[in-house]
Amino acid sequence: MPVNSVDAIDTVVCELLKGHREDTRQAFIEELLHHAGPHYAERSREELGETTERAIAGYLAILCAGDWGPMDAFIREIAEFRFPLRFPLSEVQRAFAAFREVVRPLLTRAFTGEQLEAALGLLARTVDETIQRFSDVYQELHLEEIRSTSRQLAEANQLLQTQVEEVAEAAHIKAQFFANMSHELRSPLNSIIGYTELLRDGIDGPVVEEQARDLEKILSSSHHLLKLINNILDMTKIESGRMEVEPRAFEVAQVVDEAVDTVVPLAFRKHIEVRGDTREGGGSFRTDRDKVKQVLINLLANAVKFTDAGEVVCTAVRDGDRLRFQVRDTGIGIAPEEREKIFNKFYQIDPTHHREHRGTGLGLPLCRMLVALLGGEMALESEPGRGTRIEFWVPLAPCAVAAVEGPAYPRGSARVLVIEDDPSALELIQKVLEAEGLEAVLAPDGAEGLRLARSVCPRAITLDLLMPAVDGWEVLEELKADPATRDIPVVILSCVDRKDRGMRMGADAYLVKPIDRKEFVRVLRQVMAAAAPGAGKD
């Protein structure tokens, strides 16, 4: 179609589309069915026909007269209909972008040279602004929902404020009570234990065998009560955030030996062997020595309590950047349905089966809390009648008081962080990456993407731009401003064709959706190779 001036290209494009309106509509429907997403694929052709007809009418109004009125009304209607259904924002954006893919071949056949470039530019600007206007309306609806929710929350907060204050006061009273209880009960218990031991050992004069047995019972009950008090107080400190970690260097073998020696008297009475093995995990170690020892003693004492014959073994093994402790026994074991319950406070194994094995129900929960406080984790394996094995891992490096929120992976591992709000797109990219032998770390929004970028240290990042709350532009800006993440290559995958802006802001590559899988893999490997240590150096 001849055109005298590039400036008049919009009029010619308008007439061209009018002449191919029905063909464009049918092609638009096919594009929605096969490429826009599952929500469109589920709709009937009749329904999609009505939608595409209105969309084309809106685009024609813009191209023919620069009138955004019909398109804005259509955008508002679509947004208000989709928003309550939580229809994926990116899927609607892809539907608008599909118009560009449908019309591009028509323009390519009709124009050449500068006219083609002008026609394609007009098409891209029209579609991009349509997508942006839809995003703005969607964001406006999101803000309205936030305001409404905020008002409701403010009312609820006002109602709950008094209750919160009451709970805080109750927590303070509880902590104070346990602190007072600790002092008031520990003092007399220490005296009871001390004097009982004096009598048992004959310091104040000889005792007969029957008296010695009675004194042992007093000591056993006193130690049991003291342990209960100590466990309750420790748990209260941890829950209130007042438990401190005091790292210091010590010998692993020494701590294991001390823990074993502590429970040997309990095992001796039952004719059970208790031993330690640190051949694979000896040497110096730095963390809170007392808390490690406390966990080991609790686990060993628990193992002895539930073992009637055989042995209890404590081992320490270096496992990468962690030290793994294990306590295993040949005791009664734990039924599958109770393996997780025993880590609940005050829970005890069903007394109808094991009446002789009394306890407080605090030992294992406290052990898990202490291990978490040290930055580690705990696991349990057991089989009824065959014994139990409890392991816990503690980092070899000095640990912080709070537990780490998420895993920290060393840079250089084959991980790619995918920041994408559309679940379907997330799954697709994950499958592509896994097929290439790469591990996908998924972030469903911008805020989570920034957090993972700092904690996971991926080899590369794929980034969607149009996301609610924190959009891709903000994410890219923060990634490149942070020294910890600015060197991680970023590949933008978006419906919006703004490569110039993306590259100016520091992106390493920019692909417009729908993306070609082979091209995506090629580009991704290219930017990863370029960012690898030593790349480009002599």
Side-chain angles (χ1 to χ4, degrees), residues 24 61 72 175 226 249 350 381 475 530 538:
T24 300
D72 282 341
L226 182 59
D350 188 355
E381 293 182 8
V475 172
D538 295 332

Side-chain angles (χ1 to χ4, degrees), residues 244-249 286-291 374 399 401:
E244 296 181 357
V245 174
E246 301 176 358
R248 59 190 176 100
R286 182 177 175 81
T287 187
D288 193 314
R289 182 187 193 279
D290 294 336
K291 290 180 177 55
L374 296 176
C399 59
V401 172

Side-chain angles (χ1 to χ4, degrees), residues 284-299:
S284 60
F285 181 51
R286 182 177 175 81
T287 187
D288 193 314
R289 182 187 193 279
D290 294 336
K291 290 180 177 55
V292 171
K293 181 179 175 181
Q294 182 178 355
V295 172
L296 288 175
I297 291 174
N298 275 350
L299 295 181

Side-chain angles (χ1 to χ4, degrees), residues 227 231 234 259 263 292-304 327 362-364 366-367 370:
K227 181 180 178 181
N231 286 348
D234 286 343
V263 301
V292 171
K293 181 179 175 181
Q294 182 178 355
V295 172
L296 288 175
I297 291 174
N298 275 350
L299 295 181
L300 286 167
N302 201 63
V304 169
V327 174
L362 290 177
L364 287 179
L366 177 59
C367 286
L370 288 171

Side-chain angles (χ1 to χ4, degrees), residues 23-319:
D23 293 340
T24 300
R25 188 172 72 88
Q26 293 300 325
F28 203 168
I29 291 173
E30 296 300 325
E31 189 73 16
L32 292 179
L33 284 170
H34 297 294
H35 299 293
H39 289 80
Y40 285 96
E42 295 170 358
R43 283 167 159 67
S44 65
R45 298 183 71 89
E46 291 73 16
E47 183 180 358
L48 290 178
E50 295 176 6
T51 301
T52 54
E53 179 62 33
R54 291 199 58 186
I56 292 173
Y59 282 122
L60 283 173
I62 300 166
L63 295 171
C64 293
D67 182 9
W68 276 91
M71 180 57 79
D72 282 341
F74 178 58
I75 287 172
R76 168 66 64 172
E77 183 178 326
I78 290 291
E80 290 179 346
F81 174 71
R82 298 293 192 268
F83 185 77
L85 303 177
R86 291 297 184 265
F87 200 89
L89 173 62
S90 57
E91 195 163 313
V92 182
Q93 292 164 341
R94 282 204 302 276
F96 282 119
F99 181 76
R100 176 178 55 226
E101 306 307 318
V102 169
V103 175
R104 192 195 302 270
L106 184 64
L107 300 181
T108 303
R109 291 193 299 270
F111 301 104
T112 59
E114 292 183 1
Q115 295 172 358
L116 175 60
E117 183 177 348
L120 291 175
L122 173 64
L123 174 65
R125 288 192 301 274
T126 302
V127 171
D128 285 351
E129 186 168 351
T130 300
I131 293 174
Q132 189 59 55
R133 290 192 180 206
F134 175 79
S135 300
D136 291 343
V137 173
Y138 216 81
Q139 187 68 18
E140 176 188 329
L141 295 173
H142 183 64
L143 291 175
E144 289 176 1
E145 183 181 57
I146 290 175
R147 294 189 190 100
S148 175
T149 303
S150 297
R151 287 192 297 270
Q152 296 174 10
L153 287 175
E155 294 172 0
N157 285 338
Q158 186 66 32
L159 182 64
L160 291 172
Q161 188 60 39
T162 301
Q163 295 176 334
V164 169
E165 293 174 357
E166 290 175 352
V167 169
E169 179 64 19
H172 173 73
I173 293 173
K174 171 187 171 184
Q176 189 63 45
F177 167 75
F178 283 122
N180 292 338
M181 182 190 73
S182 170
H183 178 268
E184 294 299 327
L185 292 180
R186 273 179 173 172
S187 296
L189 272 175
N190 284 334
S191 297
I192 293 171
I193 292 171
Y195 283 112
T196 303
E197 289 176 343
L198 289 178
L199 293 172
R200 180 200 60 185
D201 296 337
I203 303 300
D204 292 334
V207 294
V208 300
E209 184 178 349
E210 186 175 354
Q211 290 173 328
R213 287 198 299 268
D214 291 341
L215 291 172
E216 284 292 348
K217 293 176 182 177
I218 295 173
L219 278 175
S220 178
S221 296
S222 300
H223 282 298
H224 179 74
L225 182 55
L226 182 59
K227 181 180 178 181
L228 173 60
I229 295 168
N230 289 339
N231 286 348
I232 292 175
L233 183 63
D234 286 343
M235 296 185 92
T236 303
K237 284 184 178 180
I238 294 173
E239 291 172 343
S240 63
R242 294 185 295 114
M243 176 73 79
E244 296 181 357
V245 174
E246 301 176 358
R248 59 190 176 100
F250 61 89
E251 290 293 323
V252 175
Q254 183 180 7
V255 171
V256 171
D257 288 343
E258 290 177 5
V260 169
D261 290 343
T262 301
V263 301
V264 162
L266 300 175
F268 180 77
R269 292 196 295 268
K270 301 179 71 174
H271 306 288
I272 299 169
E273 180 186 5
V274 180
R275 57 187 175 88
D277 182 356
T278 57
R279 289 172 296 179
E280 298 183 39
S284 60
F285 181 51
R286 182 177 175 81
T287 187
D288 193 314
R289 182 187 193 279
D290 294 336
K291 290 180 177 55
V292 171
K293 181 179 175 181
Q294 182 178 355
V295 172
L296 288 175
I297 291 174
N298 275 350
L299 295 181
L300 286 167
N302 201 63
V304 169
K305 180 172 64 176
F306 289 97
T307 300
D308 297 322
E311 64 178 4
V312 174
V313 181
C314 177
T315 60
V317 178
R318 287 187 178 271
D319 183 7

